Amino acid sequence: MKMKLLALTFLFQTYGQSLGQNGSRPNIVMVMTDAFDGRLTFDPGSKVVKLPYVNYLRELGTTFLNAYTNSPICCPSRAAMWSGQFVHLTQSWNNYKCLSANATTWMDLLEANGYLTKMMGKLDYTSGSHSVSNRIEAWTRDVQFLLRQEGRPVTQLVGDMSTVRIMRKDWENTDKAAQWIHQRAASSQQPFALYLGLNLPHPYKTEPLGPTAGGSTFLTSPYWLKKAFSYVSSELITLPKWLPMAAMHPVDYYSTFTKNCSGDFTEEDVRSIRAFYYAMCAEADAMLGQVISALRETGLLNNTVVIFTADHGELAMEHRQFYKMSMFEGSSHVPLLIMGPGLTSGLQVNQLASLVDLYPTVLDFAGVSAAGSVSGHSLVPLLSKARAFSKKPDWVLSEYHGCNVNASTYMLRRGRWKYIAYADGQSVPPQLFDITLDKDELHNVVLKFPDVQARLDKLLRSIVDYPRVSTIVHLYNKQSFADWQNSLGTNYSQVIANLRWHVDWQKDALANERAIDKWLYGFL
């Protein structure tokens, strides 16, 4: 497919270059962070932490107040963004199973239509990446015992007031992006498209647990703690309300346990994790600022569409969890800000949006037709106060099939309601939250509003046959694990015992292996 697209480059090149020269096609820059809570980009969340460059985009562009990931985990969410298709269509089931290397992205289409293109930093949307542990835990989530996947979330302070560059890899990529703008984009006769993927504010690996440790360390310096809260009182860092463990939905209970968050946490522990996370967001904001500054310094900003977003959010101890992999707002709500020539300043859009919408939106800005059918809809008609007609539906879909959750999960957000269905729709009870009245998502009202549940479930099934998809994922998990197990031969027991499994894996190795065999083959 890519070869066909690149073959079109010659046909469009002269036309594309002439448009780039007279400025009729804008440049496009996207900065995608990892694990950035979208609620921090508008009030009241924006009052918690100082994010000057996010605020710059907010004041001069458009903020989407209800933007969601299509899957609250790295690779599947990015696969949705790059392909414009829902997760069940791309079959991006976990961080190991996503798009093929030759899948067509919107960047491919821009290049085929005369754009100078560059992709830097974290891409993470093709199959085959991430650790053995990550994919094994995704494949075996249906085994009937609990797994402690992650290291307990902790904070770590490094350096002093002069320590600015904590996430060095991100800073290196940001430097390269700014350099590319100065040296390559500024001299180009073509319109350009630049993508910069950041790791921040994703938590760091807890090194003492070894190379397979999960992302569980919230790490920053005194510089960023002061910078983040220089004009904001740290007292605004709220302590999230938790349900008792016994009152949790069974899937949320499983997630809390496997994320190693079922133990005791003091108020100081929780407040510290949240403060450090916000400081990490402030560091990511500074990287966004460096890109914006490079565009301004080269005189390119006035003809450039700048998009800021994230693959998913971060719970930061909301619902007694950290990380993502949940449909709660902290995990599923992403930032989406768009600024560009001719777009309305200071606009806030309430209409629901999700990452699949970025594919047709970017192509719409460039005047390029999408290749084949896509799940998303262009947001361009919503980017002015005039609000041109949009075919965009009034709902968004997110789904999750990976580790730390023991059932395929489907979230439908429509109006005030968030409906979450699991597995086959019968074996695991659904959840229904009134986001308007219950911003903390502590009150599952599915039994109180059966008519709403029935209506939303009917709509969800019209979008995706989720019981069928759940079955497909289940069979994929079994086959993938069996193939991996067979590939190890006699080394299987040793390899699996050294993964981050149940704390008593070594003690109960035989019992746990038998439990896996029962799940896999149906016998003891």
Side-chain angles (χ1 to χ4, degrees):
M1 184 65 179
K2 279 190 177 182
M3 293 301 295
K4 292 180 181 179
L5 289 170
L6 294 176
L8 294 174
T9 302
F10 176 78
L11 298 176
F12 289 99
Q13 193 167 20
T14 303
Y15 176 65
Q17 286 182 353
S18 65
L19 285 172
Q21 287 171 343
N22 63 30
S24 58
R25 290 207 294 179
N27 309 309
I28 298 168
V29 172
M30 180 185 295
V31 177
M32 176 173 251
T33 53
D34 192 325
F36 200 112
D37 185 344
R39 299 170 300 173
L40 298 177
T41 63
F42 53 85
D43 294 340
S46 62
K47 291 184 170 64
V48 176
V49 56
K50 185 184 178 188
L51 302 170
Y53 294 101
V54 163
N55 193 52
Y56 178 86
L57 292 184
R58 187 170 61 144
E59 291 181 356
L60 297 182
T62 296
T63 306
F64 285 83
L65 304 178
N66 292 290
Y68 287 86
T69 181
N70 298 109
S71 187
I73 195 171
C74 302
C75 295
S77 65
R78 292 165 188 269
M81 188 276 289
W82 283 111
S83 70
Q85 293 190 312
F86 289 136
V87 167
H88 64 274
L89 298 178
T90 62
Q91 297 192 349
S92 301
W93 304 137
N94 54 57
N95 269 351
Y96 185 72
K97 173 69 169 65
C98 286
L99 299 183
S100 63
N102 64 350
T104 300
T105 69
W106 52 259
M107 191 68 89
D108 295 321
L109 290 170
L110 291 183
E111 183 176 356
N113 283 272
Y115 268 73
L116 173 67
T117 62
K118 188 66 175 179
M119 299 160 67
M120 295 182 175
K122 186 170 187 176
L123 301 178
D124 217 13
Y125 64 91
T126 55
S127 295
S129 61
H130 288 266
S131 69
V132 172
S133 180
N134 184 278
R135 62 181 185 263
I136 301 309
E137 288 154 0
W139 294 338
T140 58
R141 61 185 188 165
D142 293 335
V143 178
Q144 295 303 306
F145 57 81
L146 293 169
L147 312 174
R148 285 202 186 276
Q149 182 188 3
E150 308 295 343
R152 177 185 168 99
V154 295
T155 58
Q156 182 179 350
L157 191 65
V158 296
D160 52 32
M161 285 302 297
S162 66
T163 307
V164 177
R165 296 194 165 202
I166 312 299
M167 172 49 79
R168 293 190 176 277
K169 187 64 176 178
D170 278 353
W171 280 110
E172 290 173 6
N173 287 323
T174 302
D175 289 342
K176 290 177 182 177
Q179 185 179 35
W180 187 86
I181 291 170
H182 278 279
Q183 296 181 356
R184 188 72 177 91
S187 61
S188 175
Q189 297 301 303
Q190 303 168 253
F192 68 86
L194 170 66
Y195 169 88
L196 173 62
L198 302 177
N199 288 284
L200 278 178
H202 190 293
Y204 295 74
K205 290 181 179 179
T206 302
E207 296 301 337
L209 295 181
T212 59
S216 54
T217 299
F218 292 82
L219 183 149
T220 192
S221 70
Y223 174 89
W224 287 113
L225 282 174
K226 183 176 181 180
K227 194 80 170 177
F229 303 113
S230 56
Y231 298 110
V232 179
S233 171
S234 59
E235 294 177 0
L236 291 176
I237 301 175
T238 57
L239 290 172
K241 300 174 183 177
W242 292 350
L243 291 173
M245 292 283 289
M248 284 183 173
H249 184 275
V251 172
D252 297 329
Y253 178 91
Y254 179 91
S255 295
T256 293
F257 190 93
T258 59
K259 291 177 181 179
N260 209 354
C261 291
S262 57
D264 293 332
F265 288 86
T266 66
E267 289 189 1
E268 183 180 357
D269 290 335
V270 176
R271 199 182 297 276
S272 178
I273 287 171
R274 293 173 71 77
F276 277 52
Y277 169 67
Y278 296 143
M280 293 161 68
C281 289
E283 186 178 359
D285 178 81
M287 297 172 190
L288 168 66
Q290 186 166 322
V291 173
I292 293 173
S293 296
L295 292 169
R296 186 190 298 115
E297 291 160 4
T298 52
L300 295 169
L301 186 60
N302 290 338
N303 193 40
T304 301
V305 172
V306 179
I307 301 172
F308 178 76
T309 189
D311 56 354
H312 50 74
E314 164 62 55
L315 287 164
M317 298 311 295
E318 293 182 14
H319 301 278
R320 204 186 183 99
Q321 295 180 39
F322 77 110
Y323 233 9
K324 57 272 188 176
M325 305 151 175
S326 165
M327 295 304 174
F328 288 127
E329 289 290 286
S331 168
S332 63
H333 201 139
V334 297
L336 182 53
L337 298 98
I338 304 176
M339 178 185 76
L343 303 183
T344 303
S345 297
L347 185 64
Q348 292 189 332
V349 176
N350 280 298
Q351 187 158 345
L352 292 159
S354 65
L355 293 180
V356 290
D357 296 323
L358 291 178
Y359 183 105
T361 299
V362 168
L363 296 181
D364 198 356
F365 278 125
V368 175
S369 298
S373 61
V374 295
S375 304
H377 294 75
S378 174
L379 301 174
V380 172
L382 303 175
L383 295 174
S384 70
K385 292 182 179 177
R387 298 291 179 88
F389 174 74
S390 173
K391 296 181 180 179
K392 183 163 176 50
D394 63 350
W395 49 263
V396 293
L397 170 71
S398 188
E399 54 191 293
Y400 184 71
H401 307 283
C403 57
N404 276 339
V405 175
N406 57 342
S408 285
T409 306
Y410 307 84
M411 184 272 281
L412 185 70
R413 173 75 202 278
R414 190 184 197 191
R416 66 194 293 179
W417 301 108
K418 177 187 285 189
Y419 176 60
I420 307 172
Y422 298 91
D424 58 3
Q426 298 179 350
S427 57
V428 181
Q431 291 172 292
L432 180 67
F433 298 101
D434 184 336
I435 298 298
T436 303
L437 299 179
D438 181 21
K439 295 186 183 301
D440 294 321
E441 297 173 283
L442 295 175
H443 305 285
N444 180 11
V445 294
V446 70
L447 297 179
K448 185 177 180 181
F449 297 99
D451 55 332
V452 175
Q453 188 265 337
R455 186 168 67 248
L456 292 178
D457 192 74
K458 181 179 179 180
L459 175 59
L460 176 60
R461 289 172 187 263
S462 72
I463 300 165
V464 52
D465 184 353
Y466 70 85
R468 177 176 173 271
V469 171
S470 297
T471 298
I472 292 172
V473 175
H474 181 75
L475 294 174
Y476 161 81
N477 287 340
K478 280 196 171 186
Q479 186 62 54
S480 297
F481 184 86
D483 291 345
W484 174 80
Q485 183 188 58
N486 292 334
S487 72
L488 296 176
T490 57
N491 293 326
Y492 164 69
S493 295
Q494 184 61 38
V495 172
I496 202 170
N498 288 328
L499 295 178
R500 289 179 289 116
W501 294 74
H502 188 285
V503 288
D504 293 327
W505 177 273
Q506 297 284 359
K507 176 182 176 183
D508 301 325
L510 179 59
N512 289 334
E513 284 192 46
R514 288 174 64 133
I516 289 179
D517 285 341
K518 181 179 180 181
W519 160 77
L520 193 60
Y521 303 112
F523 60 81
L524 285 175

